[in-house]
Amino acid sequence: MGRIFRRTPRQLVLPGVRVPRKGRRERAAMADLGPIARARMHLVTAPVTRRRFLAGTLGWVSAAIAAALGIPAGAAVVSPLFRKDEEGWSPVARLGKPDPGDPDLRVENEPILTHVTSLVEDAYLKASPRDAAIYVVNRGGEQFTVFDVRCTHLGCPVTWKEGDGEFFSPCHGGVFDAEGRVLEGPPPRPLDRYEYKVEGGVLYVGKLYQVNDELQRVTF
Amino acid sequence: MFAGSKEWVEERLGLQPVATRVMDHPVPRHITWLHCFGGLTFFTFIVQVVTGIIMAFFYVPSPDHAHDSVDWFQTSVPFGTIVRNVHRWGAYAMVVLVFLHMVRVFVHKAYRKPRELNWIVGVGLLMLVLGFGFTGYLLPWDQKAYWATSVGLNIVETIPAAGSTAANFLRGGESLGALTLLRFYALHVFILPLLIAAGLLIHFAMIRKQGIAKPL
């Protein structure tokens, strides 16, 4: 041992931890200075020894390696935040006499509960089935309103109360009128809606969007 | 805002002597660059842990999705190609470095008394590194992975007496399939990392206790 370790190891100072070895008066004088002046004072009073230089170099090189490894890693994990699902048009039903199992869209001004299934590209799944429940209201003349079934408060499915002419959410008592406007309860905005189009006698739904209290579209 | 927070912790826990003991460790004079291979192996291990954890966020150990999830990670996730290839080349580098480390210890006769135990633990660590390589190779679930594992398990079968039992255990039955992939995944990300972490701790503790071997 003695041959190899000639010197006893000197005290190593953790970065940022100042070991109080100066007198109280000197420390009091340092306290009044700003951060840059204090750093300069520190450099003057504790000159750069070879040991400090090597410790600093080691620190910066370590930081560079950590960044080279950490930035790609962090970016990869964070990237799904900016992911957009591909949304296409999904068929609901024919406008005339419905096929078996399809809703009858000839009924006017009455919300009909049905659902659409679409195949969306979901990350590594090329065609993942997405099922969405909707209320379709036929306003006549190929005009429709397609409501999302989820309450705008916390997403519970609403049900159409035919006698009252209202949508009702059982979870916290949210109530919406036939146009989706909030009548009662905690929901912050009217029921969300889907874009729709009629093509070849078939009703399709597309993107989901939000409306304000005047039923104007606010998200695109 | 955080000025003085280190002093605050220091006042309460008094970590400075611990840090001094861990970091300010005197190194004997005869150390050469050849002595770095062990530390470099440990560095590649850290790289493998970081990149491996990132890929665990995207990988699915199922025959239906394994290849698609790897493919999607490489082509569609930002930096996915970099992360996966660092893991791949890191694996090669780790095997090469651990071998060089072993050769260095052998040539310097650093395995002799009193360091035999550390040599034995080191051999165990070498086996674990190769185990990582073997299990990780199957996970992308492409043709190369499938047939390499098939051949590897046939080699296991040639072990006298216990061979077919060992191979069937690793394979999860008599044919290579979904269970094989899951088993290799579990070994690669849960069991081997725990074993290697324990082994490294013992390996390093023994170096600290016994010091670096004297020059020849």
Side-chain angles (χ1 to χ4, degrees), chain B:
Chain B
M1 188 161 73
F2 296 107
S5 55
K6 274 173 191 147
E7 284 83 354
W8 191 88
V9 173
E10 181 60 22
E11 194 185 338
R12 262 139 268 257
L13 294 176
L15 295 171
Q16 185 64 60
V18 181
T20 306
R21 205 169 62 231
V22 173
M23 291 158 69
D24 204 12
H25 183 72
V27 164
R29 297 221 150 189
H30 68 270
I31 288 291
T32 66
W33 289 107
L34 291 174
H35 287 77
C36 293
F37 289 128
L40 284 171
T41 310
F42 182 62
F43 172 70
T44 54
F45 173 69
I46 301 291
V47 172
Q48 296 305 89
V49 169
V50 173
T51 51
I53 288 173
I54 299 312
M55 290 200 289
F57 276 78
F58 297 94
Y59 178 73
V60 187
S62 134
D64 285 346
H65 303 309
H67 187 262
D68 282 348
S69 66
V70 172
D71 186 52
W72 180 76
F73 180 65
Q74 281 239 115
T75 53
S76 302
V77 175
F79 297 102
T81 314
I82 291 177
V83 172
R84 181 162 176 243
N85 280 300
V86 168
H87 198 76
R88 187 158 73 100
W89 289 102
Y92 296 151
M94 195 171 175
V95 172
V96 170
L97 288 167
V98 87
F99 183 74
L100 291 173
H101 174 59
M102 188 181 72
V103 169
R104 200 282 299 167
V105 171
F106 184 78
V107 169
H108 280 175
K109 294 189 183 175
Y111 52 84
R112 291 179 303 179
K113 193 181 175 188
R115 298 186 177 78
E116 305 98 315
L117 273 174
N118 220 2
W119 175 267
I120 292 167
V121 172
V123 171
L125 288 170
L126 172 70
M127 293 303 142
L128 287 175
V129 170
L130 296 179
F132 269 111
F134 183 53
T135 52
Y137 206 75
L138 178 66
L139 302 186
W141 203 246
D142 51 14
Q143 287 294 323
K144 198 166 63 166
Y146 185 93
W147 293 108
T149 304
S150 175
V151 169
L153 289 173
N154 286 341
I155 294 171
V156 173
E157 268 182 4
T158 61
I159 299 172
S164 64
T165 311
N168 286 350
F169 172 75
L170 283 172
R171 209 187 277 124
E174 288 189 344
S175 58
L176 213 167
L179 279 184
T180 322
L181 182 59
L182 266 176
R183 272 162 187 256
F184 275 46
Y185 176 75
L187 283 168
H188 192 81
V189 306
F190 296 114
I191 295 169
L192 293 180
L194 280 174
L195 291 178
I196 204 168
L200 287 173
L201 252 155
I202 298 169
H203 204 59
F204 297 165
M206 283 201 270
I207 299 170
R208 267 300 162 96
K209 178 77 183 161
Q210 300 178 321
I212 294 167
K214 289 204 178 75
L216 287 170

